[in-house]
Amino acid sequence: GTSQQSAAFASGTTLVVVDTDQKVHVAFGANPTATTRYISIPAGGRAEFNLTGTGQKVAVIQGA
């Protein structure tokens, strides 16, 4: 798979929930690229992330 990046979250966004039906890896930042070295969420998993700063995006890649 290839890392896919979101648009920047709206100003004031402080919580992002990732709910997935397949294993994925996620990365956050101003211009993130997810790889299998980043945070892993298992198939059927759900994870909550607190954001700080503005202009944050999330990148996701399918896990192996």
Side-chain angles (χ1 to χ4, degrees):
T2 303
S3 177
Q4 297 295 313
Q5 188 180 102
S6 73
F9 295 110
S11 177
T13 300
T14 59
L15 179 69
V16 173
V17 177
V18 177
D19 190 351
T20 180
D21 62 355
Q22 57 186 303
K23 182 179 179 182
V24 296
H25 297 270
V26 297
F28 290 88
N31 188 25
T33 300
T35 70
T36 55
R37 296 180 296 137
Y38 288 91
I39 300 166
S40 176
I41 303 171
R46 176 185 165 111
E48 296 180 356
F49 300 92
N50 291 309
L51 299 182
T52 58
T54 59
Q56 296 289 303
K57 300 176 184 178
V58 64
V60 179
I61 190 169
Q62 185 175 4

Coordinates of all heavy atoms in Angstrom, one line a residue:
G1 N 0.8 -1.2 0.0 CA 0.0 0.0 0.0 C 0.9 1.3 0.0 O 2.1 1.2 0.2
T2 N 0.2 2.3 -0.2 CA 0.8 3.6 -0.3 C 0.2 4.5 0.8 O -1.0 4.5 1.1 CB 0.5 4.3 -1.6 OG1 1.0 3.5 -2.7 CG2 1.2 5.7 -1.7
S3 N 1.0 5.3 1.5 CA 0.6 6.2 2.5 C -0.4 7.2 1.9 O -0.1 7.8 0.8 CB 1.8 7.0 3.1 OG 1.3 7.9 4.1
Q4 N -1.6 7.4 2.5 CA -2.5 8.4 2.1 C -2.7 9.4 3.2 O -2.9 9.1 4.3 CB -3.9 7.7 1.8 CG -3.8 6.7 0.7 CD -3.6 7.3 -0.6 OE1 -4.2 8.3 -1.0 NE2 -2.6 6.7 -1.4
Q5 N -2.6 10.7 2.8 CA -2.7 11.8 3.7 C -4.0 12.6 3.7 O -4.6 12.7 2.6 CB -1.5 12.8 3.4 CG -1.3 13.9 4.4 CD -0.2 14.8 3.9 OE1 -0.4 15.8 3.4 NE2 1.1 14.3 4.1
S6 N -4.5 13.0 4.8 CA -5.8 13.7 4.9 C -5.5 15.2 4.6 O -4.3 15.6 4.6 CB -6.4 13.6 6.3 OG -5.6 14.4 7.2
A7 N -6.6 15.9 4.5 CA -6.5 17.4 4.5 C -6.2 17.8 5.9 O -6.4 17.0 6.8 CB -7.8 18.0 4.0
A8 N -5.8 19.0 6.1 CA -5.6 19.6 7.5 C -6.9 19.6 8.2 O -7.9 19.9 7.7 CB -4.9 20.9 7.4
F9 N -6.8 19.2 9.5 CA -8.0 19.3 10.4 C -8.4 20.7 10.6 O -7.5 21.6 10.6 CB -7.7 18.5 11.7 CG -7.5 17.1 11.5 CD1 -6.2 16.5 11.8 CD2 -8.5 16.2 11.1 CE1 -6.0 15.2 11.6 CE2 -8.2 14.9 10.9 CZ -7.0 14.3 11.2
A10 N -9.6 20.9 10.9 CA -10.2 22.3 11.1 C -9.5 22.8 12.4 O -9.2 22.1 13.3 CB -11.7 22.2 11.3
S11 N -9.3 24.1 12.4 CA -8.8 24.8 13.5 C -9.7 24.5 14.7 O -10.9 24.5 14.7 CB -8.8 26.3 13.3 OG -8.4 27.0 14.4
G12 N -9.0 24.2 15.9 CA -9.8 23.8 17.1 C -10.0 22.3 17.2 O -10.5 21.9 18.3
T13 N -9.6 21.5 16.2 CA -9.8 20.1 16.4 C -8.7 19.6 17.4 O -7.5 19.9 17.2 CB -9.6 19.4 15.0 OG1 -10.6 19.8 14.1 CG2 -9.7 17.8 15.2
T14 N -9.2 18.9 18.4 CA -8.3 18.4 19.4 C -8.3 16.9 19.6 O -7.4 16.4 20.3 CB -8.6 19.0 20.8 OG1 -9.9 18.7 21.1 CG2 -8.4 20.6 20.7
L15 N -9.2 16.2 19.0 CA -9.3 14.8 19.1 C -9.7 14.1 17.7 O -10.6 14.6 17.0 CB -10.5 14.4 20.1 CG -10.7 12.9 20.3 CD1 -9.5 12.3 21.1 CD2 -12.0 12.7 21.1
V16 N -8.9 13.1 17.4 CA -9.1 12.4 16.2 C -9.3 10.9 16.6 O -8.5 10.4 17.3 CB -8.0 12.5 15.2 CG1 -8.2 11.6 14.0 CG2 -7.8 13.9 14.7
V17 N -10.4 10.3 16.0 CA -10.6 8.8 16.3 C -10.4 8.1 15.0 O -11.0 8.4 14.0 CB -12.0 8.6 16.8 CG1 -12.3 7.1 17.0 CG2 -12.3 9.4 18.1
V18 N -9.6 7.0 15.1 CA -9.4 6.1 13.9 C -10.0 4.8 14.3 O -9.7 4.2 15.3 CB -7.9 5.9 13.6 CG1 -7.7 5.0 12.5 CG2 -7.2 7.3 13.3
D19 N -11.0 4.4 13.4 CA -11.7 3.2 13.6 C -11.6 2.4 12.3 O -12.0 2.9 11.2 CB -13.2 3.5 13.9 CG -14.0 2.4 14.3 OD1 -13.6 1.2 14.2 OD2 -15.2 2.6 14.7
T20 N -11.0 1.2 12.4 CA -10.6 0.5 11.1 C -11.0 -0.9 11.1 O -11.1 -1.6 12.2 CB -9.1 0.6 10.9 OG1 -8.7 0.0 9.7 CG2 -8.3 0.1 12.1
D21 N -11.3 -1.4 9.9 CA -11.7 -2.9 9.8 C -10.5 -3.7 9.3 O -10.6 -4.9 9.1 CB -12.9 -3.0 8.9 CG -12.7 -2.6 7.5 OD1 -11.6 -2.0 7.2 OD2 -13.6 -2.7 6.7
Q22 N -9.3 -3.0 9.1 CA -8.1 -3.7 8.7 C -6.9 -3.1 9.4 O -7.0 -2.0 9.9 CB -7.9 -3.7 7.2 CG -7.9 -2.3 6.6 CD -7.8 -2.4 5.1 OE1 -6.9 -3.0 4.5 NE2 -8.7 -1.7 4.4
K23 N -5.8 -3.8 9.5 CA -4.7 -3.3 10.2 C -4.1 -2.1 9.4 O -3.9 -2.2 8.2 CB -3.6 -4.4 10.3 CG -2.4 -3.9 11.1 CD -1.3 -5.0 11.2 CE -0.1 -4.5 11.9 NZ 0.9 -5.6 12.0
V24 N -3.8 -1.0 10.2 CA -3.3 0.2 9.5 C -2.2 0.7 10.4 O -2.1 0.4 11.6 CB -4.3 1.2 9.3 CG1 -5.3 0.8 8.3 CG2 -5.0 1.7 10.6
H25 N -1.4 1.6 9.9 CA -0.4 2.4 10.6 C -0.7 3.8 10.3 O -1.1 4.2 9.2 CB 1.0 2.0 10.1 CG 1.4 0.6 10.4 ND1 2.0 0.2 11.5 CD2 1.2 -0.5 9.6 CE1 2.2 -1.1 11.5 NE2 1.7 -1.5 10.3
V26 N -0.6 4.7 11.4 CA -0.9 6.1 11.2 C 0.3 7.0 11.7 O 1.0 6.6 12.6 CB -2.2 6.4 12.0 CG1 -3.4 5.7 11.5 CG2 -2.0 6.2 13.5
A27 N 0.3 8.1 11.1 CA 1.3 9.2 11.5 C 0.6 10.5 11.4 O -0.3 10.7 10.6 CB 2.5 9.2 10.5
F28 N 1.0 11.4 12.3 CA 0.4 12.7 12.4 C 1.5 13.8 12.2 O 2.6 13.6 12.5 CB -0.3 13.0 13.8 CG -1.6 12.2 13.9 CD1 -1.5 10.9 14.5 CD2 -2.8 12.7 13.6 CE1 -2.7 10.1 14.6 CE2 -3.9 12.0 13.8 CZ -3.9 10.7 14.3
G29 N 1.1 14.9 11.7 CA 2.0 16.1 11.5 C 1.6 17.0 10.5 O 0.4 16.9 10.0
A30 N 2.4 18.0 10.2 CA 2.1 19.0 9.2 C 2.1 18.4 7.7 O 1.4 18.8 6.9 CB 3.0 20.2 9.3
N31 N 3.0 17.4 7.5 CA 3.1 16.7 6.2 C 3.5 15.3 6.5 O 4.6 14.9 6.1 CB 4.1 17.5 5.4 CG 4.1 17.0 3.9 OD1 3.2 16.4 3.5 ND2 5.2 17.1 3.3
P32 N 2.7 14.5 7.1 CA 3.1 13.1 7.5 C 3.1 12.1 6.4 O 2.3 12.3 5.4 CB 2.0 12.8 8.5 CG 0.8 13.5 8.1 CD 1.3 14.8 7.5
T33 N 3.9 11.2 6.5 CA 3.9 10.0 5.6 C 4.0 8.8 6.5 O 4.9 8.6 7.3 CB 5.1 10.0 4.6 OG1 5.1 11.2 3.9 CG2 5.1 8.8 3.8
A34 N 2.9 7.9 6.4 CA 2.9 6.8 7.3 C 3.7 5.6 6.7 O 3.7 5.5 5.4 CB 1.4 6.3 7.5
T35 N 4.4 4.9 7.5 CA 5.1 3.7 7.1 C 4.7 2.6 8.2 O 4.1 3.0 9.2 CB 6.6 3.9 7.1 OG1 7.1 4.0 8.4 CG2 7.0 5.0 6.2
T36 N 5.2 1.4 8.0 CA 4.9 0.4 9.0 C 5.7 0.5 10.3 O 5.5 -0.2 11.2 CB 5.2 -1.0 8.4 OG1 6.5 -1.1 7.9 CG2 4.2 -1.3 7.2
R37 N 6.6 1.6 10.3 CA 7.3 1.9 11.6 C 6.5 2.7 12.5 O 6.8 2.9 13.7 CB 8.6 2.6 11.3 CG 9.6 1.9 10.4 CD 10.8 2.7 10.2 NE 10.5 3.9 9.3 CZ 10.9 5.1 9.5 NH1 11.7 5.4 10.5 NH2 10.5 6.1 8.7
Y38 N 5.4 3.3 12.1 CA 4.5 4.1 12.9 C 3.5 3.4 13.7 O 3.4 2.2 13.6 CB 3.9 5.2 12.0 CG 5.0 6.3 11.6 CD1 5.7 6.1 10.4 CD2 5.3 7.3 12.4 CE1 6.6 7.0 10.0 CE2 6.3 8.2 12.0 CZ 6.9 8.1 10.8 OH 7.9 9.0 10.4
I39 N 2.7 4.1 14.4 CA 1.6 3.6 15.3 C 0.8 2.5 14.5 O 0.3 2.8 13.4 CB 0.7 4.7 15.8 CG1 1.6 5.7 16.6 CG2 -0.4 4.1 16.7 CD1 0.8 7.0 16.9
S40 N 0.6 1.4 15.1 CA -0.2 0.3 14.5 C -1.5 0.2 15.2 O -1.6 0.2 16.4 CB 0.6 -1.0 14.6 OG -0.2 -2.1 14.1
I41 N -2.6 0.0 14.4 CA -3.9 -0.2 14.9 C -4.4 -1.5 14.3 O -4.4 -1.6 13.0 CB -4.9 1.0 14.5 CG1 -4.3 2.3 15.1 CG2 -6.3 0.7 15.1 CD1 -5.1 3.5 14.6
P42 N -4.8 -2.5 15.1 CA -5.1 -3.8 14.5 C -6.5 -3.8 13.8 O -7.3 -2.9 14.0 CB -5.2 -4.7 15.8 CG -5.5 -3.8 16.9 CD -4.9 -2.5 16.5
A43 N -6.7 -4.8 13.0 CA -8.0 -4.9 12.3 C -9.1 -4.9 13.4 O -9.0 -5.6 14.4 CB -8.1 -6.2 11.5
G44 N -10.2 -4.2 13.2 CA -11.3 -4.1 14.1 C -11.0 -3.2 15.3 O -11.7 -3.1 16.2
G45 N -9.8 -2.5 15.2 CA -9.4 -1.6 16.3 C -9.9 -0.2 16.2 O -10.4 0.3 15.2
R46 N -9.8 0.5 17.3 CA -10.2 1.9 17.4 C -9.2 2.6 18.3 O -8.8 2.1 19.3 CB -11.6 2.0 18.0 CG -12.1 3.4 18.3 CD -13.4 3.3 19.0 NE -13.7 4.6 19.6 CZ -14.7 5.4 19.1 NH1 -15.5 5.0 18.2 NH2 -14.9 6.5 19.7
A47 N -8.7 3.8 17.9 CA -7.7 4.5 18.7 C -8.1 6.0 18.7 O -8.6 6.5 17.7 CB -6.3 4.3 18.1
E48 N -7.8 6.7 19.8 CA -8.1 8.1 19.9 C -6.8 8.8 20.1 O -5.9 8.4 20.8 CB -9.0 8.4 21.1 CG -10.4 7.8 21.0 CD -11.2 8.1 22.2 OE1 -10.7 8.7 23.2 OE2 -12.4 7.7 22.2
F49 N -6.6 10.0 19.4 CA -5.4 10.7 19.4 C -5.7 12.2 19.7 O -6.6 12.8 19.1 CB -4.7 10.7 18.0 CG -4.3 9.3 17.6 CD1 -5.2 8.5 16.9 CD2 -3.1 8.7 18.0 CE1 -4.9 7.2 16.5 CE2 -2.8 7.4 17.6 CZ -3.7 6.7 16.9
N50 N -5.0 12.7 20.7 CA -5.1 14.1 21.0 C -4.2 14.9 20.2 O -3.0 14.6 20.1 CB -4.8 14.4 22.5 CG -5.9 13.8 23.4 OD1 -7.1 14.0 23.2 ND2 -5.4 13.0 24.4
L51 N -4.7 16.0 19.5 CA -3.8 16.8 18.7 C -3.4 18.1 19.4 O -4.2 18.6 20.2 CB -4.6 17.2 17.4 CG -5.1 16.1 16.5 CD1 -5.8 16.6 15.3 CD2 -3.9 15.2 16.1
T52 N -2.3 18.6 19.0 CA -1.8 19.9 19.5 C -1.3 20.7 18.3 O -0.9 20.1 17.3 CB -0.6 19.7 20.5 OG1 0.5 19.0 19.8 CG2 -1.0 19.0 21.7
G53 N -1.5 21.9 18.4 CA -1.1 22.8 17.2 C -2.2 22.9 16.2 O -3.2 22.2 16.2
T54 N -1.9 23.6 15.1 CA -2.8 23.8 14.0 C -2.2 23.2 12.8 O -1.0 23.0 12.7 CB -3.2 25.3 13.8 OG1 -1.9 25.9 13.5 CG2 -3.8 25.9 15.0
G55 N -3.0 22.9 11.8 CA -2.5 22.4 10.5 C -2.1 21.0 10.5 O -1.5 20.5 9.6
Q56 N -2.6 20.2 11.5 CA -2.3 18.8 11.7 C -3.0 18.0 10.6 O -4.2 18.3 10.3 CB -2.6 18.3 13.0 CG -1.8 18.9 14.1 CD -0.3 18.5 14.1 OE1 0.0 17.3 14.1 NE2 0.6 19.4 14.0
K57 N -2.4 16.9 10.1 CA -3.0 16.0 9.2 C -2.7 14.6 9.7 O -1.8 14.4 10.6 CB -2.4 16.1 7.8 CG -2.5 17.5 7.2 CD -1.8 17.5 5.9 CE -1.9 18.9 5.3 NZ -1.1 19.0 4.0
V58 N -3.4 13.6 9.2 CA -3.1 12.2 9.5 C -2.8 11.5 8.2 O -3.4 11.8 7.1 CB -4.3 11.5 10.2 CG1 -5.5 11.4 9.3 CG2 -3.9 10.1 10.7
A59 N -1.8 10.6 8.2 CA -1.5 9.8 7.1 C -1.7 8.3 7.5 O -1.4 8.0 8.7 CB -0.1 10.0 6.6
V60 N -2.2 7.5 6.6 CA -2.6 6.1 6.9 C -2.0 5.2 5.8 O -2.1 5.5 4.7 CB -4.1 5.9 7.0 CG1 -4.4 4.5 7.4 CG2 -4.7 6.8 8.1
I61 N -1.5 4.0 6.3 CA -1.0 3.0 5.3 C -1.5 1.7 5.8 O -1.6 1.5 7.1 CB 0.5 3.0 5.1 CG1 0.9 2.1 4.0 CG2 1.2 2.7 6.4 CD1 2.3 2.3 3.5
Q62 N -1.9 0.8 4.9 CA -2.4 -0.5 5.3 C -1.2 -1.3 5.9 O -0.1 -1.3 5.4 CB -3.0 -1.2 4.1 CG -3.6 -2.6 4.4 CD -4.2 -3.2 3.2 OE1 -4.1 -2.7 2.1 NE2 -4.9 -4.3 3.4
G63 N -1.5 -2.0 7.0 CA -0.5 -2.8 7.6 C -0.3 -4.2 7.0 O -1.2 -4.6 6.3
A64 N 0.8 -4.8 7.3 CA 1.1 -6.1 6.8 C 0.8 -7.2 7.8 O 0.8 -6.9 9.0 CB 2.6 -6.2 6.4

